[in-house]
Amino acid sequence: MTAITLAAPLAGWAMPLTEVPDPAFAQGLVGTGMAIDPTANELRSPCDGTVLSVHRARHACTVRTASGAEVLLHLGVDTVGLNGEGFTAHVRDGQAVKTGDRLISFDMDLVGSRAQSLVSMMVVVNDGFTVDGQSVDREIAAGEPAMTVHGGSGADAVPPTAADSNDPGEGEIGERAVVLPIASGLHARPAAALVAATKAYPGTVTIHCRDRRANAKSVVALMGLGTTLGDRLTVSVVGPGAQDMAESVAVLIEGGLGDPVVAGAAAQAAPVAATPVAAPARPAAEEDAGPPFAPDEEVLLKGTIAVPGQAVGSVVRRFRTAARVVEQGAGAQVEEPRLRQALDRVVAGLTRSAQRMPEHAAIFQAHRELLDDPELLDGALADIRAGKSAEWSWQRTARLQADALAGLADPRMAERAADLRDLEQQVLAALSGKEPDVGLAELPAGSIVLADEILPSDLAGVPAGRLAGIGMVHGGPTSHAVILAAALGVPTVVALGRQAERVPDGAPVVIDGNRGELLVFPPEDTLATTRTAVAARAARREENRRTSREDCRMADGTRIEVFANLGRVSDAPGAVVEGAEGCGLLRTEFLFLERQSAPTEDEQYQQYQQIADALEGRPLVIRTLDVGGDKPLSYLPLPKEENPVLGLRGVRVGLREPEILRAQIRAILRVKPAGVCRIMVPMIASPSELQAVRAMVDEERAKLGRAEPIELGAMIEVPSAALIADRIGAVADFLSIGTNDLTQYVLAMDRGNPHVAAQLDALHPGVLRLIRLAVMGAKTHERVVAVCGGSASDPMAAPLLIGLGVTELSATPAVIADLKAFIRTLRLEDCRRVAEAALATDSADEVRRLVAETWPAI
């Protein structure tokens, strides 16, 4: 084994990589080495070797040593965005260099003023080498010994990897085109993220760009592609599960690999002629995964956290095997009716799923809209009329459209591509004579389901107590299925990888949604310990339930009301059991979705009355219909909008379609007893909107001959409403803050966008400041301020909201007992102090640390 000492390529302050203000380098994702904060403007070679590449932006250079180590020299942080300005390269690719030779010179004043930092990195980026002896935490001169690299054979030539050779190897082959949406191309940070995602894959992953290609497991090779914004890349994979891997890599690239995504990147890509592709069946899930794990073989599989929680149970396998479809059909007169009947069966299944889970009916509505797409049906029918089978035609058309959608820069379209792949399988199942929506309804109690990917329809009919946990080979933490699993309170781990396919049916496992792990065949003591921990949490929950029906008062006697968010009639009895003191938000969309006409006044009245009866006289706050361009109704024609979240939504739709709003108001006014209901209007942006609704309420109340007034409140979801809460409070009887929409509007992050959803946190100090402004404005008129958004269910948010002046929280029923127990331990003085400190922080992470330090038991 060869050892080479690298010289310092710059003069300056030497420091560990962990101090670099770039997480890709600081976390070792790019490679191992050290950093220097330079005091001189010349980058020199740290060793004898060959220049592998000089980046097109001239801010980085890679030198290969005689032993084969690839040393990346990267000047500054985020300097790629300068596009070469301020840098001069003195060498070219392939040039031999000696230790101390000048590689790049740079204008320190220009680069220092425009880059995030001048701190520069020297790292070894390829496998097979170790680094030690870094001389850090001191001033260092250029040319001084800096660190030692061990490994390599000492030969000048380095054998090419499979991805660099012309031999594609053996095994499955997958390919996916993708447009690069990163402003500065595949520079060090996104290249490192891509390598981290592909390194563990047993096959080869190659990125093609124009006439060049690179091994996706090599940072240097990826940077050497010289990619730019809008480049059309092709991801080629050879190995087990190749097509799935190609899809996964493409999705990561579309997500920016940690860099901001530039909208419209696809428009900058050179057009590529579409070529019809056949639809071969994907390999069975069992192939290449390996033999089943043995019962005496304890295995820990790691994935991605999707739904927190722990569970112990037995595995039920639900891996889908895509059978090969027959290409030639029996003629259009046979195949076309078969396809139409299968589509009808799937639509019927989606309707039943929406009825079982009405609060998530929008997910199934999105699937139905895809099935209604005329291009999808027309494409399949064209193939059928050319003599193909219904199965082959549907599969081919669905995959072509899914790939086309996935190639777009819009993340919402990428999600629709995943939905379309789901529907591909459902229709094929219907064509084979299987029920498309049987799902997981027949599970034994305590099942932990392992699958390649769970579909939303799988979860629609699961009886309570049957499903203990979910593990997926693929999938992401923001998928529709995960949203449904969270609603069911089922611990879920996604992206476990194909090793999960080796877990046999009936195997005992521990699934840990808090850590993103699946422990297979654990020792009996681990099973016992986990069962004890789960039982202890359940016991605490039961203890909290015993006092949950008591009024919620803080330790100092301050009264805080804790209500429930409800989405259907059947939610109400359970909410009362959990300790709900009323309903702070009834989402009425369940009455309007999945039907061909609007519900009548009588239909609505009957449902509202049933909920009021179940609440046994407790307050019932009913939100008027909140639909729009992003949540369309088939019988409510609204114009197509480029950005429906900022268009016709909430009260704007009600004022545009007054008869629908008036019918709802009349139904609410009829509920007995007269004082139990309150009306809450969504998406209020100005007092005039609420005044218009109040005029309708007064008119309908007079027509019904009702003497008793009814409280009318405004939802604070739009930043302008929070800023003028004093003006809105003058015409409202109460205010309720919807933190979900308020947060996405304040932070300019679409909560449906998986690339930014993880950063969407209602505890961001900017959101908290608006909440304080809303409370202060409401206090002008002595109005109650509630919170009915997702943060009301977050124990970390409770003390902050209370400290800011909120006196009512409307939460998910499942958390109410525990939430009330926690609030009873709080003191208003402490909550106010911590809330004020939170307003002075810079990020939601700081706020959460502050709360955790103050109340460690959360």
Side-chain angles (χ1 to χ4, degrees), residues 464-767:
R466 299 280 184 88
L467 183 60
I470 297 173
M472 300 189 212
V473 173
H474 309 297
T478 60
S479 71
H480 280 157
V482 167
I483 293 170
L484 296 178
L488 295 170
V490 176
T492 303
V493 178
V494 298
L496 284 165
R498 298 203 63 195
Q499 288 299 298
E501 297 172 17
R502 298 178 60 191
V503 182
D505 249 330
V509 294
V510 172
I511 190 164
D512 190 339
N514 303 317
R515 300 170 61 88
E517 295 177 349
L518 181 75
L519 185 60
V520 186
F521 291 122
E524 189 55 44
D525 58 343
T526 300
L527 287 172
T529 300
T530 306
R531 287 193 185 101
T532 300
V534 171
R537 282 192 294 273
R540 285 197 301 273
R541 182 175 178 77
E542 286 305 312
E543 178 64 31
N544 293 337
R545 274 181 169 178
R546 277 195 281 274
T547 58
S548 65
R549 295 210 185 193
E550 299 174 8
D551 286 349
C552 184
R553 295 186 181 279
M554 301 175 69
D556 56 15
T558 303
R559 179 78 167 96
I560 302 294
E561 292 183 300
V562 181
F563 287 5
N565 294 337
L566 305 179
R568 53 183 169 178
V569 174
S570 59
D571 289 344
V576 172
V577 170
E578 293 291 342
E581 300 169 20
C583 169
L585 168 63
L586 174 62
R587 301 181 179 95
T588 58
E589 291 73 46
F590 75 98
L591 281 165
F592 292 81
L593 294 169
E594 293 299 328
R595 52 189 300 150
Q596 299 305 310
S597 60
T600 65
E601 176 187 328
D602 283 341
E603 285 181 276
Q604 295 186 63
Y605 159 68
Q606 290 166 8
Q607 297 285 299
Y608 302 151
Q609 187 65 61
Q610 287 181 46
I611 294 172
D613 293 343
L615 291 175
E616 301 169 349
R618 297 173 178 85
L620 170 57
V621 180
I622 301 177
R623 182 178 71 186
T624 58
L625 180 63
D626 186 12
V627 295
D630 60 331
K631 292 184 276 186
L633 300 174
S634 60
Y635 53 85
L636 183 63
L638 294 174
K640 291 287 185 182
E641 299 177 279
E642 288 188 11
N643 194 342
V645 177
L646 299 180
L648 287 170
R649 282 195 61 195
V651 68
R652 299 166 189 169
V653 174
L655 295 177
R656 177 189 170 98
E657 304 287 340
E659 285 312 308
I660 288 181
L661 180 55
R662 285 180 179 275
Q664 187 168 31
I665 290 170
R666 288 194 298 271
I668 297 170
L669 288 169
R670 291 169 58 187
V671 175
K672 306 294 183 185
V676 73
C677 285
R678 305 168 190 168
I679 298 174
M680 184 164 67
V681 186
M683 295 294 293
I684 290 292
S686 66
S688 62
E689 293 170 327
L690 195 65
Q691 286 173 317
V693 177
R694 186 177 288 281
M696 289 186 187
V697 171
D698 290 343
E699 290 169 9
E700 298 304 330
R701 186 163 62 92
K703 290 178 184 177
L704 290 172
R706 171 173 161 158
E708 303 88 352
I710 188 169
E711 290 190 29
L712 181 68
M715 284 195 74
I716 305 297
E717 303 169 278
V718 181
S720 64
L723 293 170
I724 60 169
D726 57 330
R727 307 299 304 154
I728 293 175
V731 296
D733 296 310
F734 63 93
L735 303 182
S736 188
I737 299 172
T739 52
N740 299 351
D741 273 325
L742 181 64
T743 302
Q744 76 167 344
Y745 289 135
V746 170
L747 300 183
M749 293 178 180
D750 181 357
R751 56 189 170 120
N753 184 338
H755 304 300
V756 298
Q759 305 167 52
L760 205 65
D761 194 327
L763 297 195
H764 188 286
V767 179

Side-chain angles (χ1 to χ4, degrees), residues 255-336:
L257 294 164
D259 267 30
V261 171
V262 178
Q268 304 185 33
V272 175
T275 304
V277 179
R282 287 170 180 161
E286 307 300 334
E287 293 177 6
D288 299 315
F293 295 126
D296 58 351
E297 185 179 6
E298 182 183 357
V299 179
L300 179 64
L301 301 179
K302 288 186 170 289
T304 299
I305 296 169
V307 180
Q310 272 189 322
V312 177
S314 299
V315 164
V316 175
R317 293 168 55 88
R318 284 291 188 271
F319 292 100
R320 290 181 172 82
T321 56
R324 291 185 177 275
V325 298
V326 175
E327 181 173 348
Q328 295 304 314
Q333 70 278 11
V334 173
E335 300 296 338
E336 183 172 336

Side-chain angles (χ1 to χ4, degrees), residues 777-804:
K779 187 174 288 188
T780 306
H781 304 281
E782 298 299 323
R783 303 301 189 215
V784 169
V785 178
V787 170
C788 62
S791 62
S793 303
D794 181 356
M796 279 202 165
L800 298 174
L801 296 174
I802 293 168
L804 292 172

Side-chain angles (χ1 to χ4, degrees), residues 722 764-774 776 804 838-841:
H764 188 286
V767 179
L768 295 179
R769 289 189 180 206
L770 275 181
I771 292 174
R772 181 175 67 169
L773 285 174
M776 292 171 61
L804 292 172
L839 296 176
T841 62

Side-chain angles (χ1 to χ4, degrees), residues 306-307 350 353 357 359-370 411-423 426 453-460 467 470 472 474-490 492 494 630-632 750-754 757:
V307 180
L350 292 172
S353 297
M357 305 186 76
E359 69 275 29
H360 296 290
I363 291 175
F364 304 107
Q365 175 66 19
H367 282 203
R368 184 167 178 172
E369 287 174 4
L370 285 173
R412 288 170 291 190
M413 292 300 101
E415 182 179 89
R416 284 298 177 94
D419 290 341
L420 194 49
R421 285 190 282 269
D422 285 351
L423 289 170
Q426 292 189 54
E453 189 162 18
I454 295 292
L455 308 183
S457 55
D458 290 332
L459 298 176
L467 183 60
I470 297 173
M472 300 189 212
H474 309 297
T478 60
S479 71
H480 280 157
V482 167
I483 293 170
L484 296 178
L488 295 170
V490 176
T492 303
V494 298
D630 60 331
K631 292 184 276 186
D750 181 357
R751 56 189 170 120
N753 184 338

Side-chain angles (χ1 to χ4, degrees), residues 139-379:
E139 285 285 342
I140 196 167
E144 279 189 69
M147 66 185 197
T148 303
V149 180
H150 304 271
S153 64
D156 288 327
V158 176
T161 65
D164 295 323
S165 71
N166 292 321
D167 179 10
E170 297 182 355
E172 300 171 33
I173 298 174
E175 193 168 283
R176 166 86 136 74
V178 60
V179 174
L180 186 64
I182 303 171
S184 301
L186 289 174
H187 60 99
R189 181 167 53 240
L194 188 52
V195 169
T198 58
K199 184 168 282 188
Y201 179 69
T204 63
V205 184
T206 307
I207 306 296
H208 301 261
C209 180
R210 296 182 291 273
D211 59 346
R212 308 181 73 178
R213 62 180 180 172
N215 181 357
K217 301 180 182 183
S218 166
V219 172
V220 172
L222 291 170
M223 292 177 64
L225 281 175
T227 53
T228 59
L229 173 67
D231 273 345
R232 188 176 293 277
L233 310 180
T234 299
V235 181
S236 298
V237 180
V238 178
Q243 188 59 45
D244 287 341
M245 184 63 182
E247 293 285 347
S248 299
V249 172
V251 169
L252 288 173
I253 293 172
E254 287 168 339
L257 294 164
D259 267 30
V261 171
V262 178
Q268 304 185 33
V272 175
T275 304
V277 179
R282 287 170 180 161
E286 307 300 334
E287 293 177 6
D288 299 315
F293 295 126
D296 58 351
E297 185 179 6
E298 182 183 357
V299 179
L300 179 64
L301 301 179
K302 288 186 170 289
T304 299
I305 296 169
V307 180
Q310 272 189 322
V312 177
S314 299
V315 164
V316 175
R317 293 168 55 88
R318 284 291 188 271
F319 292 100
R320 290 181 172 82
T321 56
R324 291 185 177 275
V325 298
V326 175
E327 181 173 348
Q328 295 304 314
Q333 70 278 11
V334 173
E335 300 296 338
E336 183 172 336
R338 289 184 64 232
L339 178 59
R340 291 187 184 276
Q341 290 165 12
L343 291 170
D344 288 344
R345 291 177 66 194
V346 173
V347 168
L350 292 172
T351 301
R352 290 193 294 273
S353 297
Q355 290 168 347
R356 293 187 193 112
M357 305 186 76
E359 69 275 29
H360 296 290
I363 291 175
F364 304 107
Q365 175 66 19
H367 282 203
R368 184 167 178 172
E369 287 174 4
L370 285 173
L371 287 179
D372 290 339
D373 186 338
E375 289 191 14
L376 188 61
L377 180 59
D378 290 349

